Amino acid sequence: MFDSLTESLGGIFRKLAGRGHLSEKNIQEGLKEVRMALLQADVSFKVVKDFIDRVSVKAVGEEVIKSVRPADQIVWIVHQELTALMGPVDHAIPPAGKTPTIIMMAGLQGSGKTTTTAKLGQYLRKKGRKPMLIAADMIRPAAVEQLKTLGAQNSLPVYWEATGRPVKICERGIAKAVEQGLDAVVLDTQGRLHVDREMMDELKEVREKLKPPQIYHVVDAMTGQDAVKSAAEFNAQLELDGVIMTKLDGDARGGAALSVKAVTGKPIKFVGLGEKIDALDEFHPERMASRILGMGDVISLVEKAKENVDQDKARKLQEKIRKDELTIADFYEQLQQMKKMGPLKQLMKLLPGQLGQMADEVDEDELKYAEAIIQSMTKQERENPELLNASRRQRIARGSGRPVHEVNSLVKQYVEARKMIRVMKKQGGFGGLFKP
Amino acid sequence: MGFFSGFVDKFKQGLQKTKEVFVAPIKKIAQVFRNVAPEDLDALEEQLIAADFGVEVTQKILEKARVAYKKGEIKTTDQIIPFLKADLKGRLTEHGNDVRWAPAPPTVILVAGVNGVGKTTSIAKLATLFRKGGKKVILAASDTFRAAAVEQLAIWSERVGVDIIKHGQGADPAAVVFDAAEAAVARKADVLLVDTAGRLQTKENLMKELAKIRNVVARKIPGAPHEVLLVLDATTGQNAVSQAQHFGAAVNVTGLFLAKLDGTAKGGIVVAIKDKLSIPVKFVGLGEMPEDIAGFNAEEFVEALFAE
């Protein structure tokens, strides 16, 4: 998408080459493409309109930077503006006073409040707080049960009652937290549509009685144009303090993040990235901007790599590459490191443009076969691939259950890779690619 | 499908809110059309996109309107709405909106979707609807992943008064379906409704698991699943197309259940899905109660959208 966006912009701005400034006319044309990208990402129509107006004012008269294509420049301006709009970042959760810090969750049904409540509990605990979860969604069948289970699985204390009014349950829960010396409570509340008066009144009652210093609106990343309406309503009724966007581990572009920020003015604090209890991240506006524009999330990829790649091994590998001593054993090692980062397809999807689109063509099985083939080699063979004669290759094929031609092509790939590295080294284009 | 007709009122009621937001702007556009100029279609574009139709489908519809304008089929204000209505109705009914019943019971309906769209509640609604239609229904609690999902479905089965086949949380969902299929045959059920865990469509392994559930039931009961319903949240935007694509590829989705249509969201995304993937809408969810369901009726859907 980033590629196609810059490409289509490139076409429009080709005529511009040699001129000094971005003119109003060519900017308008270019911004049409940007507008489409934003709409496809589910940014609210009105928000897109305002945004485009603002960007065009900003872009007109900008000097064309010589070394940069005008298309790139426009995207850069757009990216900056998006980032600025969704910022500034604010992850702060106020400390406890005499009573624990109360965090109240609110949102449409199915947005992920209960799961996020548990994740927030875990986050607080990691920050050195002593949290308690309070199950106050008395409407959805088994919602209390769900929070109890999540609490038990992760040893987070949960306060619950079988029946009763949410505001009373919360009050008693908070009293319990004080009694146990806990310093933060997260209230899971019921979710219904924002047009539901009864629910809003109930949430308002909780808010008025307990005066939670933090009220978070939980928004599904997949939300479409309706995001502005529900967020505006929740904000009007509850005076939100922040937003948590959930389900960003899928392929939704998450344009609702922009819409919600625009209509509520409240910062997005956290993002949900999976079903696991730890899958709650602090919000980074520049990453979200890339995602909305379809530029891929390279930063997350780099972070994932940092988390999972063994730095010592990476340094050794670099050394080997330098000395041209790369063996099949190293190949295997790389494969293992990559596997730790998660399925290749998911990793590829984090890459921008065409690379990201290639994700669907990746055959995970091929990697498994490669692994099996290498596992069927002896240690000597892995270290000295020259040893691999026909009979050895046949043995490996039998051992791995793969046909001989696959063994052959793996060896060939290895040889090609070494050649490539030699060429790249000569050209000096290798740079810090393998630097830890 | 005669027993659905009683739900039309409910359907209209639920769409009332949608209508209020939708109709007013359409009228505004219509005013633009008084001195119709092709550029004025921009205003129409706004409204369609705001209803989650998506950029592509919106442009297709606009192109049709443009052609109709050129041919002189649209000349005045009052012609634009009938034109849009007819076009939308045509799109939405093209592939049939009725349940595909098995030639001999049980009819197996597999229900799938991403997290939080309302699968379990939608199943309770389907069970209520079928039961009212005089059918014997069994539920399979195959969402063994989400904490308390089995309990949630069990509570519904009691409220609705239908049988449920369940194992504990963490059990193999395919094994639950296996048992449920056997029970459905043994107890001579008319309908077996299979609940599944919510999963984001990009999670490869979970999609494979879903395909396995499908295969298990297909081996137990010939022709099953007769219907694979993808539950969509009406508030979902363009990602719903990706959902339909991925779920379609994994388990061959035969229909959509459009849930949460009682809010302000318009659910226009189903037009895009129909357009791209030819998957029709079969049911709509219109509230919190198990009775808040209606069989999808394009006539009603489109009429209610534009009604006075």
Side-chain angles (χ1 to χ4, degrees):
Chain A
M1 187 60 215
F2 177 47
D3 281 357
S4 66
L5 179 61
T6 20
E7 248 164 52
S8 53
L9 286 174
I12 290 164
F13 290 115
R14 200 155 296 138
K15 307 161 226 157
L16 196 69
R19 285 194 219 155
H21 295 274
L22 297 173
S23 79
E24 184 152 5
K25 189 166 172 286
N26 52 48
I27 282 172
Q28 291 307 341
E29 256 180 275
L31 287 180
K32 260 189 195 164
E33 300 292 329
V34 175
R35 176 179 166 273
M36 290 280 264
L38 294 176
L39 287 174
Q40 273 162 359
D42 287 322
V43 181
S44 148
F45 193 90
K46 255 191 82 71
V47 174
V48 171
K49 211 170 170 187
D50 296 347
F51 178 79
I52 295 290
D53 287 349
R54 208 172 29 246
V55 172
S56 80
V57 169
K58 237 198 146 116
V60 173
E62 281 265 329
E63 241 177 86
V64 177
I65 304 167
K66 282 213 180 82
S67 54
V68 177
R69 291 185 303 160
D72 288 328
Q73 200 176 344
I74 289 277
V75 173
W76 186 76
I77 294 170
V78 168
H79 188 268
Q80 263 202 327
E81 282 294 300
L82 281 177
T83 306
L85 249 184
M86 288 186 289
V89 191
D90 174 17
H91 310 132
I93 293 177
K98 277 181 204 144
T99 50
T101 308
I102 304 169
I103 300 171
M104 175 179 171
M105 309 293 263
L108 300 179
Q109 71 267 61
S111 54
K113 278 181 301 302
T114 307
T115 308
T116 308
T117 299
K119 284 181 183 177
L120 206 53
Q122 170 79 356
Y123 175 84
L124 285 161
R125 186 165 56 188
K126 271 191 170 171
K127 292 270 162 187
R129 306 288 295 265
K130 285 175 269 176
M132 170 187 266
L133 314 179
I134 299 181
D137 176 358
M138 306 310 285
I139 299 290
R140 179 162 60 90
V144 174
E145 208 56 44
Q146 187 184 351
L147 196 64
K148 275 165 68 184
T149 310
L150 290 170
Q153 281 169 355
N154 302 290
S155 348
L156 287 162
V158 177
Y159 183 83
W160 62 277
E161 294 178 20
T163 53
R165 280 180 51 219
V167 62
K168 293 287 165 202
I169 294 169
C170 290
E171 276 173 353
R172 286 192 284 268
I174 292 164
K176 191 97 183 170
V178 173
E179 201 182 295
Q180 296 180 351
L182 305 177
D183 64 2
V185 296
V186 189
L187 316 179
D188 184 21
T189 64
Q190 59 148 318
R192 279 199 233 161
L193 289 167
H194 52 286
V195 289
D196 194 314
R197 276 295 121 227
E198 214 178 298
M199 172 203 70
M200 272 304 178
D201 289 344
E202 199 181 278
L203 294 183
K204 271 162 85 174
E205 194 189 359
V206 173
R207 175 178 157 257
E208 274 152 30
K209 282 267 165 62
L210 303 174
K211 305 209 166 31
Q214 296 279 287
I215 303 181
Y216 295 160
H217 181 39
V218 181
V219 182
D220 187 325
M222 298 178 277
T223 314
Q225 298 284 325
D226 198 51
V228 277
K229 291 199 200 89
S230 48
E233 186 63 16
F234 272 99
N235 193 40
Q237 300 294 332
L238 298 174
E239 294 171 37
L240 305 169
D241 297 287
V243 174
I244 300 181
M245 179 158 261
T246 59
K247 305 180 203 173
L248 267 171
D249 47 327
D251 60 355
R253 300 262 292 279
L258 194 66
S259 308
V260 170
K261 177 71 204 287
V263 295
T264 65
K266 301 298 157 60
I268 299 171
K269 290 188 170 259
F270 301 99
V271 294
L273 290 164
E275 312 239 16
K276 296 210 178 93
I277 189 89
D278 286 314
L280 186 76
D281 260 7
E282 291 168 354
F283 176 71
H284 299 281
E286 68 290 347
R287 293 188 200 172
M288 199 65 217
S290 305
R291 185 175 179 134
I292 289 174
L293 288 175
M295 290 161 66
D297 194 350
V298 180
I299 301 157
S300 290
L301 185 68
V302 173
E303 276 193 354
K304 242 182 171 171
K306 269 196 195 148
E307 258 171 50
N308 290 290
V309 172
D310 186 325
Q311 299 302 327
D312 268 351
K313 282 183 184 159
R315 218 165 290 132
K316 271 184 205 149
L317 184 72
Q318 206 189 345
E319 186 65 11
K320 280 194 163 172
I321 289 171
R322 207 174 55 76
K323 291 188 189 155
D324 195 16
E325 285 171 358
L326 201 70
T327 65
I328 289 185
D330 300 318
F331 229 51
Y332 185 69
E333 189 60 48
Q334 280 297 98
L335 218 66
Q336 299 308 313
Q337 297 251 355
M338 240 163 63
K339 266 172 65 182
K340 269 199 251 165
M341 289 166 64
L344 192 56
K345 268 190 198 184
Q346 275 182 37
L347 291 178
M348 299 270 295
K349 287 210 169 113
L350 296 173
L351 292 171
Q354 285 185 326
L355 281 172
Q357 281 159 20
M358 272 163 60
D360 284 329
E361 290 159 30
V362 172
D363 189 354
E364 302 268 351
D365 286 344
E366 249 174 58
L367 287 179
K368 265 188 246 157
Y369 300 153
E371 218 181 326
I373 290 169
I374 300 176
Q375 278 166 344
S376 295
M377 294 178 183
T378 65
K379 198 164 177 268
Q380 283 91 343
E381 285 164 349
R382 287 186 216 176
E383 298 293 344
N384 309 297
E386 307 77 50
L387 289 175
L388 291 167
N389 58 23
S391 79
R392 279 175 189 263
R393 287 180 193 207
Q394 257 160 21
R395 191 207 76 239
I396 291 163
R398 276 197 305 277
S400 60
R402 304 308 305 167
V404 178
H405 70 84
E406 277 185 24
V407 179
N408 291 337
S409 76
L410 184 115
V411 175
K412 204 172 151 200
Q413 271 173 34
Y414 159 75
V415 175
E416 294 287 321
R418 270 185 85 159
K419 261 192 225 155
M420 276 261 290
I421 289 171
R422 265 175 231 143
V423 173
M424 284 170 86
K425 261 168 58 188
K426 259 185 217 149
Q427 292 176 344
F430 223 37
L433 194 60
F434 281 88
K435 272 189 194 142
Chain B
M1 299 296 287
F3 65 93
F4 285 140
S5 52
F7 294 95
V8 168
D9 286 344
K10 192 97 216 177
F11 188 76
K12 279 184 179 161
Q13 234 175 24
L15 279 171
Q16 192 62 36
K17 283 171 207 142
T18 312
K19 199 180 77 188
E20 279 160 16
V21 216
F22 197 87
V23 173
I26 288 281
K27 280 194 171 155
K28 215 162 58 195
I29 300 155
Q31 283 162 8
V32 178
F33 251 79
R34 213 179 294 280
N35 314 304
V36 201
E39 302 89 63
D40 293 334
L41 290 170
D42 284 356
L44 181 55
E45 182 195 28
E46 266 190 45
Q47 296 311 323
L48 295 177
I49 285 173
D52 285 322
F53 275 64
V55 179
E56 250 175 74
V57 175
T58 298
Q59 286 182 344
K60 267 193 191 175
I61 292 177
L62 287 183
E63 194 46 42
K64 266 200 170 180
R66 262 185 211 110
V67 171
Y69 169 72
K70 269 188 192 156
K71 285 188 191 159
E73 289 165 27
I74 301 176
K75 283 180 200 137
T76 59
T77 303
D78 29 344
Q79 284 167 355
I80 174 72
I81 290 175
F83 176 81
L84 276 179
K85 269 191 203 169
D87 182 61
L88 285 172
K89 272 182 219 165
R91 283 166 195 271
L92 290 167
T93 50
E94 202 183 335
H95 295 274
N97 308 89
D98 292 343
V99 170
R100 311 206 299 194
W101 297 104
T107 296
V108 179
I109 302 180
L110 182 67
V111 181
V114 301
N115 316 61
V117 288
K119 279 177 300 303
T120 309
T121 309
S122 296
I123 285 189
K125 290 178 177 180
L126 287 168
T128 307
L129 185 63
F130 294 145
R131 200 166 170 265
K132 278 193 180 157
K135 301 202 181 281
K136 184 177 163 71
V137 179
I138 290 185
L139 310 181
S142 290
D143 178 358
T144 55
F145 178 79
R146 180 168 62 88
V150 175
E151 282 89 338
Q152 190 181 347
L153 194 68
I155 293 169
W156 279 123
S157 81
E158 258 174 58
R159 287 192 197 166
V160 179
V162 296
D163 286 358
I164 180 170
I165 304 299
K166 56 175 183 175
H167 298 181
Q169 198 197 328
D172 177 6
V176 180
V177 169
F178 185 93
D179 287 357
E182 279 194 339
V185 174
R187 299 180 199 177
K188 298 192 169 37
D190 297 302
V191 185
L192 172 62
L193 290 169
V194 182
D195 190 17
T196 61
R199 61 202 81 217
L200 293 183
Q201 69 274 21
T202 46
K203 310 262 156 136
E204 200 92 5
N205 295 343
L206 296 178
M207 294 310 280
K208 275 186 188 156
E209 180 200 83
L210 193 62
K212 187 179 161 197
I213 292 174
R214 186 199 155 92
N215 292 340
V216 166
V217 78
R219 272 201 299 272
K220 287 301 276 184
I221 296 170
H226 307 88
E227 191 83 76
V228 179
L229 292 180
L230 177 68
V231 182
L232 288 182
D233 185 328
T235 61
T236 302
Q238 301 310 303
N239 192 253
V241 178
S242 161
Q243 291 170 24
Q245 256 158 2
H246 283 81
F247 276 93
V251 287
N252 187 25
V253 174
T254 56
L256 303 177
F257 188 122
L258 187 59
K260 308 186 199 174
L261 199 56
D262 48 327
T264 47
K266 301 157 190 85
I269 193 65
V270 298
V271 181
I273 291 174
K274 163 63 202 57
D275 195 67
K276 272 216 167 103
L277 304 162
S278 302
I279 303 173
V281 191
K282 302 224 164 163
F283 295 96
V284 294
L286 299 157
E288 295 274 302
M289 294 295 140
E291 294 78 23
D292 296 334
I293 177 175
F296 182 78
N297 179 324
E299 190 74 24
E300 291 292 337
F301 183 80
V302 176
E303 283 303 324
L305 273 176
F306 293 94
E308 288 299 320

